[in-house]
Amino acid sequence: MFHIINYSQETVTVGWKSTGGSFLTLNPGQGRPYGFADSACTDPEPDAILIATSETGKTYTYGPRICKGTSWLIGSQ
């Protein structure tokens, strides 16, 4: 599994940059495992980028390489 964890101080919505929708909402400190096909790591689509948007409009991106056993720590930079 790939893990998405919200290290920011705001609630974020997570979705695909290419489609503009969201599939997950995370409160501060909250995380969720998420499953992806192996090809998301070995042969990713160039536009397969995750985007998290905070309540105040700050954005965080991850990808396009998304591999099992790794984590996206939103806001930890």
Side-chain angles (χ1 to χ4, degrees):
M1 285 295 207
F2 175 76
H3 296 273
I4 303 171
I5 304 166
N6 182 8
Y7 273 58
S8 80
Q9 299 299 309
E10 299 180 81
T11 298
V12 296
T13 56
V14 179
W16 293 103
K17 188 174 183 179
S18 60
T19 60
S22 64
F23 61 84
L24 182 63
T25 299
L26 295 172
N27 293 319
Q30 190 176 28
R32 292 276 191 269
Y34 201 79
F36 293 97
D38 289 337
S39 62
C41 181
T42 58
D43 188 26
E45 296 289 329
D47 62 345
I49 297 171
L50 290 170
I51 186 166
T53 306
S54 75
E55 297 167 307
T56 59
K58 186 166 184 173
T59 59
Y60 307 89
T61 59
Y62 188 93
R65 192 168 303 280
I66 300 167
C67 301
K68 293 178 182 174
T70 61
S71 298
W72 178 21
L73 308 177
I74 299 167
S76 67
Q77 296 88 6

